[in-house]
Amino acid sequence: MHILKQEGEPDVMLDIALEKNLPLGSGLGSSASSAAAAVFALNSLLGNPVSTTDLIPFAMEGERMACGSAHADNVAPSLLGGFVLIRSYQPLDIIRVKCSDELYCTIAHPHIQLNTSDARRILKHDIPINDAIRQSANAAAFMIGMIKEILT
């Protein structure tokens, strides 16, 4: 694991077993929660030399191994809690959005399995500018709604 190399422990051997109740291929962040849990636990075993925020790139590497892409969209909230905005990957810029403890989320899942890599393969690689603008506006409106909830 990358964190072991960074902390000068490249020869340490680990066997990690995670027990979770998220179905594989569900789109609910199963691989991200596993990657976040593994680096969080390992950091704890090492005496917490790395801040929780600085664990995110290590968890992203776990995502790369699980689904072929190092992304923070699920590992960042798994480690930090709450909602996050991934503003940039170069450099990594993550903004944590605090929200009311009164906010709840409900998920309806159709009980189908679809791996992230398969889902990404069928996506179009070009996005019309109007779609990108509309989606960016919707995401920004959601974030502003979260912030307003805190202030009221």
Side-chain angles (χ1 to χ4, degrees):
M1 294 182 92
H2 290 87
I3 191 170
L4 290 171
K5 289 178 187 171
Q6 177 180 301
E7 295 305 312
E9 303 286 348
D11 298 325
V12 171
M13 300 297 290
L14 291 184
D15 186 17
I16 298 174
L18 296 172
E19 207 172 295
K20 59 186 178 180
N21 292 318
L22 291 174
L24 296 174
S26 65
L28 297 175
S30 170
S31 61
S33 62
S34 298
V39 298
F40 189 87
L42 183 53
N43 191 49
S44 180
L45 287 172
L46 293 171
N48 296 308
V50 180
S51 74
T52 303
T53 300
D54 290 339
L55 288 175
I56 293 170
F58 296 113
M60 288 171 60
E61 285 303 315
E63 277 285 70
R64 181 190 315 275
M65 291 174 25
C67 64
S69 173
H71 53 280
D73 59 345
N74 288 327
V75 296
S78 292
L79 286 165
L80 302 175
F83 289 90
V84 298
L85 169 65
I86 312 299
R87 201 170 80 78
S88 170
Y89 281 97
Q90 296 298 326
L92 185 59
D93 184 6
I94 298 171
I95 300 169
R96 187 168 183 219
V97 179
K98 292 184 180 183
C99 61
S100 169
D101 289 339
E102 301 298 316
L103 180 67
Y104 292 89
C105 178
T106 302
I107 298 172
H109 190 269
H111 300 290
I112 60 171
Q113 182 174 343
L114 179 61
N115 293 324
T116 302
S117 57
D118 294 335
R120 288 178 184 220
R121 201 171 12 264
I122 64 172
L123 291 174
K124 291 183 178 182
H125 292 281
D126 60 327
I127 300 172
I129 189 70
N130 287 338
D131 290 350
I133 291 169
R134 185 174 52 254
Q135 286 302 92
S136 295
N138 288 336
F142 176 76
M143 298 305 275
I144 288 170
M146 298 296 296
I147 292 166
K148 283 187 174 183
E149 173 64 26
I150 295 168
L151 300 175
T152 57

